[in-house]
Amino acid sequence: MAEEESTFQDLPLHARLQRGIEQIGYRVPTPIQRGAIPPAVLGRDIIGTSQTGTGKTAAFLLPILERLLDQPPGRIYALVLTPTRELAVQAERFLRQLAGHTPLRGVAVYGGVGMADQERGLAGRAEIVIATPGRLLDHMQRGHVDFRALKILVLDEADRMLDMGFLPDVRRILSQLPRERQTLLFSATMPPEVVRLSRDFLRDPKLVQVGETTVAAVGVSHLALPVPAQRKAGLLVELLRDAMMTSVLVFTRTKHRADHLGRQLEHAGIPTAVIHGNRSQNQRTAALEGFRSARHRVLVATDIAARGIDVKDVSHVVNFDVPHEPETYVHRVGRTARAQQRGDAYTLVSPEEEEDLRRIERLIGMPIPRSTIPGFDYRARDAPAPRPVGPAPRGGGRPNRYPPRRYGSGGGGGRTPRSPQFRRRR
Ligand code: AMP
């Protein structure tokens, strides 16, 4: 029988669940259901990439029910984290139908309504909790939930939870769950922070893709710019002539380098704020405010200082230094390309840092194209002597002075950051 013609009867689901499915009226499983249900029933962790509307709710509810059929009632065995109240309510309703011929029960937990009913549901009247992160944390902090028997966790629409700013709450919840469990993650796209989440919390996941393929940092144009270490500031000033670079987050490896670069950029006439661990909370807040309000076009930060900052509308991330830890790169570039926007990530690479860059390429599973700004590329024979960093002319967006050039190595050697194909598309 061709795969497309397979029915629910072909899936490893108990007769009691098959009856529920029949009553709802489903005959043919959708691709995400065909791909995810068999490994999930066997206990595998799963990353499912599919949009809403592809049947993913049943793709995680059915394996949950199948795996919990024999459990004694009255304890919480499964938790589904979902971004919105509507999704929570909808999934709970759907669960009631699918579980109609089983003793299993669900409770939906979300904000904007009283706590008492939900508290009762959490205290022994449900085996499956479907919750939005903020309200669930409230209940957890009040001691209303016992997750010690938890076996299965689902992260539903993880990219949307990221966009809505829920990932810190999600991580806080996950840190309090039993480690021995199965985790299923569903996300329409895989932005870097969702990739990180899956790396941190899933074990040997099976990837079930429906529709477009996704790579580590979807939506981000990565570009590496070879440059001698001592000329990085000059190159950054050159890059910042591009008027499209409206709000630029620049990462340096040390506090000292952040301060030094901040001074160089200010000297070049570029309004810049700096944050790092030695700054007081007031200084940090002022710097972030200045950046958010566009008073400062550039925010220079160290990794630690940038952690936990949710900066919307970062047009570009610049890695002034290549991070030693490849994961740090994924975390940094996750600051751009939010909410379906595209973002650009430029990495300034000195010869000493090429090896670190290769490790990043291995982690994200794709080569980062090399580009060049004439006069700065250490690989070019005609590189002129360094110029001191001076004020940048105002009013960027001038014509592209740099025609594409090709060099021997690197995937994308011919494109320059200011050539049209690297302009941000908003
Ligand atoms: P979801 O992506 O889970 O939000 O599901 C989208 C819609 O597809 C819902 O209305 C489901 O009831 C419906 N649906 C899910 N699985 C199937 C199926 N195998 N056959 C027909 N409809 C389905």
Side-chain angles (χ1 to χ4, degrees):
M1 188 186 278
E3 207 183 14
E4 286 70 21
E5 292 163 21
S6 66
T7 67
F8 274 99
Q9 297 295 330
D10 302 316
L11 292 177
L13 296 170
H14 196 277
R16 281 190 276 170
L17 297 178
Q18 298 285 2
R19 237 181 290 161
I21 294 165
E22 230 172 84
Q23 278 172 355
I24 294 180
Y26 296 170
R27 275 200 56 256
V28 178
T30 66
I32 189 78
Q33 291 163 356
R34 270 204 305 272
I37 290 173
V41 163
L42 292 175
R44 275 290 292 272
D45 281 6
I46 295 214
I47 296 176
T49 59
S50 69
Q51 314 277 348
T52 294
T54 54
K56 70 178 165 49
T57 316
F60 60 74
L61 288 179
L62 286 167
I64 288 177
L65 293 169
E66 177 71 25
R67 299 206 68 215
L68 300 185
L69 274 177
D70 298 330
Q71 296 296 326
R75 303 202 67 186
I76 297 170
Y77 298 110
L79 168 64
V80 177
L81 286 176
T82 192
T84 67
R85 167 191 177 141
E86 289 68 33
L87 283 169
V89 168
Q90 207 176 300
E92 194 272 329
R93 201 174 299 145
F94 198 17
L95 174 70
R96 233 178 301 152
Q97 293 177 293
L98 287 173
H101 301 275
T102 80
L104 294 162
R105 297 157 300 178
V107 59
V109 167
Y110 46 81
V113 294
M115 305 274 285
D117 277 354
Q118 298 176 358
E119 187 185 344
R120 277 191 291 277
L122 290 167
R125 292 205 193 157
E127 290 73 38
I128 299 156
V129 176
I130 302 170
T132 53
R135 174 54 71 95
L136 181 65
L137 259 184
D138 265 6
H139 283 291
M140 289 170 79
Q141 276 154 5
R142 294 173 192 209
H144 297 166
V145 206
D146 178 0
F147 280 132
R148 280 175 301 177
L150 192 87
K151 293 178 180 307
I152 309 171
L153 168 74
V154 176
L155 299 169
D156 184 25
E157 306 213 356
D159 49 353
R160 225 164 130 199
M161 290 204 276
L162 166 71
D163 288 339
M164 294 171 74
F166 291 157
L167 281 208
D169 280 353
V170 169
R171 283 181 174 269
R172 223 167 293 146
I173 292 167
L174 265 54
S175 70
Q176 296 176 50
L177 301 180
R179 281 161 185 262
E180 272 307 315
R181 57 152 203 265
Q182 177 183 16
T183 306
L184 315 177
L185 180 148
F186 290 84
S187 201
T189 60
M190 292 296 285
E193 290 183 25
V194 174
V195 172
R196 256 178 72 88
L197 191 72
S198 64
R199 288 173 62 88
D200 290 348
F201 293 104
L202 274 66
R203 270 185 235 169
D204 185 27
K206 181 169 170 55
L207 195 60
V208 182
Q209 289 187 348
V210 172
E212 281 183 27
T213 52
T214 48
V215 292
V218 165
V220 180
S221 295
H222 306 253
L223 203 60
L225 299 157
V227 58
Q230 71 276 18
R231 304 206 55 214
K232 284 186 170 187
L235 174 56
L236 180 56
V237 170
E238 277 293 306
L239 286 174
L240 288 167
R241 289 174 193 268
D242 184 347
M244 301 299 278
M245 296 186 78
T246 50
S247 51
V248 184
L249 184 53
V250 179
F251 286 98
T252 64
R253 213 158 39 217
T254 66
K255 299 170 204 167
H256 176 72
R257 284 173 68 75
D259 278 332
H260 187 58
L261 177 62
R263 283 194 297 271
Q264 286 177 299
L265 294 178
E266 282 286 346
H267 177 62
I270 297 159
T272 301
V274 178
I275 53 166
H276 55 58
N278 284 3
R279 296 265 156 137
S280 70
Q281 190 55 45
N282 282 350
Q283 286 174 316
R284 282 175 49 116
T285 308
L288 281 173
E289 269 316 302
F291 187 61
R292 287 202 184 106
S293 65
R295 199 165 61 246
H296 296 123
R297 192 174 151 210
V298 177
L299 180 65
V300 181
T302 56
D303 289 296
I304 308 239
R307 201 163 293 166
I309 299 173
D310 187 29
V311 185
K312 304 261 185 322
D313 260 350
V314 172
S315 71
H316 293 72
V317 165
V318 174
N319 295 300
F320 191 74
D321 298 313
V322 181
H324 288 316
E325 292 298 324
E327 281 86 1
T328 303
Y329 178 89
V330 176
H331 196 67
R332 288 179 180 180
V333 304
R335 302 304 169 135
T336 183
R338 290 183 181 247
Q340 311 304 318
Q341 294 183 354
R342 291 184 53 80
D344 291 327
Y346 297 152
T347 302
L348 313 192
V349 195
S350 68
E352 305 76 40
E353 292 172 316
E354 285 284 354
E355 183 50 39
D356 283 329
L357 191 72
R358 270 191 289 279
R359 295 200 301 135
I360 290 165
E361 290 176 324
R362 278 198 289 277
L363 175 73
I364 65 173
M366 64 180 201
I368 298 175
R370 304 294 198 272
S371 185
T372 194
I373 292 216
F376 286 92
D377 190 339
Y378 64 79
R379 300 169 307 175
R381 261 177 268 135
D382 61 349
R387 277 181 287 147
V389 176
R394 301 211 167 251
R398 32 163 224 196
N400 181 9
R401 285 196 294 133
Y402 305 114
R405 295 175 62 143
R406 291 204 176 277
Y407 290 90
S409 63
R415 297 181 290 185
T416 76
R418 264 167 281 162
S419 62
Q421 61 267 52
F422 283 99
R423 293 255 187 252
R424 276 175 62 70
R425 274 153 266 165
R426 288 205 180 254

